[in-house]
Amino acid sequence: MHAITISEPGGPEALVWDEVPDPVPGEGEVLVEVVAGAVNRADILQRQGFYDPPPGASRYPGLECSGRIAALGPGVSGWAVGDEVCALLAGGGYAEKVAVPAGQLLPLPDGIDLKRAAALPEVTCTVWSNVFMISRLLPGETLLVHGGSSGIGTMAIQLAKAVGARVAVTAGTKEKLDRCAELGADILVNYREQDFVAELKEATGGAGADVILDNMGAQYLERNVRALAVNGRLAIIGMQGGVKGELNIGALLGKRATISATSLRARPLGEKTAIVAAVREHVWPLIAAGQVRPVVDRELPMSDAAGAHRLVEDSGHVGKVLLVVP
């Protein structure tokens, strides 16, 4: 088969479509013949040498895919060869075939074609686990999403609106904010021109956000705490703004607020299986009902993963960028 390999860390040119051995499904795994994958920021970090796959995972990048089951490993039940699926991966999605733990498979949601389904696993699992399972967003509460036009952001907007929450977003251009508004965002903040703390306080009558989904890390830490409502929950899922920040514990105590920081890739199989099951139970019906949909900016051939990485690094997209197997 062919896969995107990284001979040594570097720029997008380090991504090479090369011939490699086929994976073999182990105990509890299935072999998926990949139709499409999707680009995530974690893939860029891996290419740059900053985010190695967890032990035992494929060395090839790619944290999600869609395709058809080509073979079943020992001990797998409930799936059959030929089933159309999408999957959450610890790696290996930038390839023609990938071995996947059966607990990380999802059937296609009603109304979503096989290629576009590749845009779903990582964003739905990230948003559902952080915003709902950990931060417990409730109807009537306010969610602030940083990077509202990203793949995760566009999914967070839709899921929060589907459960009856109010949504604030930050983005860097009017065009991106307009797209967020089309998805249901209520409060729109251009982070290049406006102070999101002040804008959020004004829009909420001084209350602030009940939940904040943050991809920036250190750069936004102090402002995120100021933007939280009493009993607010800050969920940190990225470090695009650095890894070390100063935290005012007094401000946190004064608001009785909590901070969680999670990643998805390195979680134990049991935790990922539980998250995937929760997504299938709670999110898939919303997609089938047309309340939630994947937002796909464009499709590129998987062999042009370098071009897709350049696009995502330049933030020249809204939603997800897909990589389609030639």
Side-chain angles (χ1 to χ4, degrees):
M1 74 167 188
H2 285 81
I4 291 291
T5 62
I6 306 171
S7 58
E8 60 182 42
E13 67 280 357
L15 301 173
V16 178
W17 186 240
D18 204 355
E19 192 164 351
V20 300
D22 284 12
V24 177
E27 181 75 28
E29 293 184 334
V30 305
L31 183 67
V32 173
E33 188 173 70
V34 176
V35 168
V39 178
N40 290 279
R41 290 278 175 182
D43 305 333
I44 294 171
L45 291 175
Q46 180 176 338
R47 188 203 76 217
Q48 294 170 335
F50 300 130
Y51 194 20
D52 290 337
S58 171
R59 305 301 298 177
Y60 313 131
L63 300 183
E64 57 192 336
C65 74
S66 61
R68 299 177 181 89
I69 294 178
L72 303 178
V76 173
S77 61
W79 300 98
V81 171
D83 284 350
E84 294 186 336
V85 296
C86 55
L88 180 70
L89 309 172
Y94 289 20
E96 292 178 321
K97 297 176 183 177
V98 62
V100 186
Q104 292 170 214
L105 291 176
L106 286 156
L108 296 194
D110 291 344
I112 303 297
D113 65 64
L114 189 54
K115 278 196 298 186
R116 291 174 67 85
L120 287 171
E122 182 73 15
V123 294
T124 54
C125 289
T126 296
V127 173
W128 192 262
S129 63
N130 283 280
V131 174
F132 297 95
M133 296 174 73
I134 296 174
S135 300
R136 309 175 311 282
L137 181 71
L138 298 173
E141 291 190 324
T142 297
L143 169 69
L144 169 60
V145 181
H146 291 302
S149 62
S150 67
I152 285 174
T154 54
M155 181 55 62
I157 293 168
Q158 295 179 82
L159 286 176
K161 294 300 292 185
V163 302
R166 189 181 188 193
V167 181
V169 298
T170 62
T173 68
K174 180 182 183 302
E175 291 73 22
K176 288 184 176 182
L177 290 172
D178 287 345
R179 293 291 300 277
C180 292
E182 292 171 4
L183 294 171
D186 305 284
I187 304 165
L188 310 174
V189 182
N190 186 325
Y191 67 81
R192 300 182 190 278
E193 301 173 355
Q194 298 170 292
D195 175 7
F196 71 80
V197 179
E199 295 296 325
L200 187 65
K201 292 285 189 179
E202 181 178 351
T204 60
D210 300 288
V211 175
I212 299 177
L213 186 63
D214 174 60
N215 60 353
M216 294 301 292
Q219 183 178 338
Y220 278 10
L221 180 59
E222 185 271 336
R223 281 182 285 169
N224 277 334
V225 172
R226 286 197 284 122
L228 281 174
V230 173
N231 296 314
R233 290 86 75 194
L234 168 60
I236 301 174
I237 60 170
M239 302 176 291
Q240 293 180 39
V243 300
K244 293 184 179 180
E246 185 170 302
L247 177 62
N248 184 334
I249 301 296
L252 201 65
L253 287 169
K255 293 187 174 182
R256 302 186 296 280
T258 59
I259 299 176
S260 62
T262 70
S263 64
L264 187 57
R265 185 182 201 179
R267 288 194 185 200
L269 175 59
E271 291 186 19
K272 285 193 275 192
T273 298
I275 292 169
V276 168
V279 164
R280 183 172 181 176
E281 178 183 357
H282 298 287
V283 179
W284 256 222
L286 297 174
I287 296 173
Q291 293 179 263
V292 174
R293 60 182 175 84
V295 177
V296 175
D297 188 281
R298 69 194 73 182
E299 304 170 2
L300 279 74
M302 192 169 285
S303 55
D304 188 24
H309 274 221
R310 291 187 182 97
L311 178 65
V312 173
E313 285 184 277
D314 291 341
S315 295
H317 67 294
V318 172
K320 302 286 284 191
V321 175
L322 297 188
L323 294 172
V324 180
V325 173

